Amino acid sequence: MSAASLHALLVHSIDYAGLFPPCSLALEPALSNQARYVRSDEAWMLNAFVLPLGQFDAAKKILSDFDPQHPLRVSALGPKTEDAARFREMFTKTSDTIRSLSAYNVDLISVNQLEMFLPDDVDLALLKEARSIIGSLPAFWEAPADRAEQTIALLAEHNSNADAPTFGYKLRTGGVTADAFPTSGEIAKALVAPATHQVPIKFTAGLHHSLRQYRDEVQTKMYGFLNVLGAAVLAAEHKWDEKQTSAMLDDEDAKSFSFDDEFFAWREWKIDIKRLKDRRRFVTSFGSCSFDEPREDLRALKLL
């Protein structure tokens, strides 16, 4: 059995994104995988299935592997738009598509959150309009790492007038080529800013391994999900600056990380389970095209 602190750090942390590179599965086998994963011993680590709006209708036809005890929970991926005008136009269609899927079979499928790219000319007024359209559905708005602080500040301003901080920031932490990976300093800025503003954050791409490591397939070092999630909660808990946060993001030594039934620790920095659970409300999940590799890595580290 995994340590309680590992469970607290990773519960509902993985949005399975098997449709996307490098796995790039077709919809039916990806959904078949999800149905198998939600019945696995590590189902507690799963959050949602990342599903582009354009595949909603196809997904409705292949739900036979799911049941009311094991439903399909969807993270809806909206279309990428280039400017605010196109964003407004597509957003209404996005909302209608989500409502249609949500009403299709409430016992088998639900939409838990929305992920969508945020053009740089979207302002506070348009965000308020978006909120009025989607209601209480949590939404994560993606912007490049070099726009993280600006975007997080805008989302924080919006959330300050809301009952709950349901608008969050989505950070891309890698890809299938070396140039898709932001620097640890860029990620650190994106982790420190939401901790300051209490804006929820999720991550996508390049995080299917547990620890920072060089990978031949991308010809660069990938970030580890233990590094990123751990740095996010510890940076918030201990009010780290970007330099300290970067140090944890860059750490490749498994011995630096410890988990027991009372604390999660990186080197001399600790957080107890209660505080960890509180911090996880703002450090939500990461998209991964594989659910197998994260589990294999954790088993290799003897954490599962």
Side-chain angles (χ1 to χ4, degrees):
M1 181 178 291
S2 58
S5 59
L6 182 77
H7 188 279
L9 183 67
L10 296 182
V11 65
H12 303 315
S13 65
I14 300 179
D15 292 317
Y16 176 53
L19 298 174
F20 299 89
C23 292
S24 301
L25 297 178
L27 180 59
E28 189 165 0
L31 283 174
S32 179
N33 282 348
Q34 179 75 4
R36 181 163 48 88
Y37 297 152
V38 298
R39 293 171 172 85
S40 69
D41 290 341
E42 296 82 22
W44 57 271
M45 294 169 58
L46 275 176
N47 189 42
F49 180 86
V50 183
L51 183 64
L53 267 68
Q55 299 204 48
F56 274 25
D57 285 341
K60 293 177 184 177
K61 301 172 184 176
I62 43 178
L63 295 175
S64 59
D65 288 339
F66 299 93
D67 59 50
Q69 286 71 46
H70 306 94
L72 176 63
R73 295 185 173 90
V74 169
S75 182
L77 182 63
K80 184 175 182 178
T81 55
E82 298 302 321
D83 55 48
R86 184 65 173 159
F87 175 87
R88 176 184 280 109
E89 177 186 343
M90 293 304 299
F91 193 78
T92 300
K93 296 178 181 178
T94 294
S95 177
D96 291 343
T97 304
I98 289 173
R99 286 194 174 93
S100 174
L101 184 68
S102 298
Y104 176 71
N105 189 324
V106 295
D107 291 328
L108 294 186
I109 191 166
S110 63
V111 178
N112 288 19
Q113 62 189 27
L114 168 67
E115 307 177 33
M116 194 165 173
F117 186 82
L118 194 71
D120 59 10
D121 58 342
V122 169
D123 59 13
L124 185 61
L126 188 48
L127 281 181
K128 289 180 178 177
E129 185 179 333
R131 170 52 64 210
S132 70
I133 293 172
I134 63 171
S136 61
L137 182 70
F140 290 86
W141 305 106
E142 180 180 345
D146 61 5
R147 282 206 290 122
E149 292 175 287
Q150 167 194 341
T151 304
I152 290 164
L154 178 65
L155 296 173
E157 185 177 0
H158 171 273
N159 287 348
S160 68
N161 297 315
D163 293 334
T166 50
F167 274 5
Y169 174 61
K170 176 182 173 182
L171 175 65
R172 189 164 293 273
T173 48
V176 295
T177 57
D179 60 358
F181 288 78
T183 67
S184 58
E186 288 175 323
I187 296 178
K189 285 183 179 180
L191 296 186
V192 170
T196 302
H197 292 290
Q198 290 200 315
V199 170
I201 186 170
K202 80 178 300 283
F203 310 94
T204 190
L207 286 181
H208 46 278
H209 290 290
S210 57
L211 295 174
R212 176 83 153 145
Q213 58 189 268
Y214 182 86
R215 302 293 301 183
D216 285 333
E217 63 266 30
V218 289
Q219 293 292 295
T220 192
K221 289 183 178 181
M222 299 175 69
Y223 295 99
F225 59 83
L226 294 180
N227 299 76
V228 173
L229 296 180
V233 297
L234 288 174
E237 181 70 8
H238 296 290
K239 297 180 172 56
W240 281 355
D241 60 15
E242 293 162 17
K243 182 178 180 181
Q244 181 66 66
T245 306
S246 293
M248 184 170 181
L249 292 170
D250 286 331
D251 194 350
E252 301 176 37
D253 186 359
K255 294 178 181 177
S256 299
F257 299 76
S258 63
F259 298 89
D260 61 31
D261 289 336
E262 295 184 17
F263 295 95
F264 160 57
W266 175 73
R267 297 181 181 172
E268 71 272 22
W269 302 91
K270 291 184 177 182
I271 183 170
D272 67 45
I273 290 176
K274 182 180 183 302
R275 296 292 297 167
L276 178 53
K277 290 177 179 178
D278 288 342
R279 294 298 182 188
R280 275 293 315 280
R281 292 187 301 118
F282 295 96
V283 181
T284 62
S285 61
F286 65 96
S288 172
C289 73
S290 172
F291 187 57
D292 293 324
E293 286 176 295
R295 293 183 293 169
E296 290 165 1
D297 275 22
L298 292 171
R299 291 189 189 107
L301 293 171
K302 295 182 169 51
L303 293 175
L304 279 184

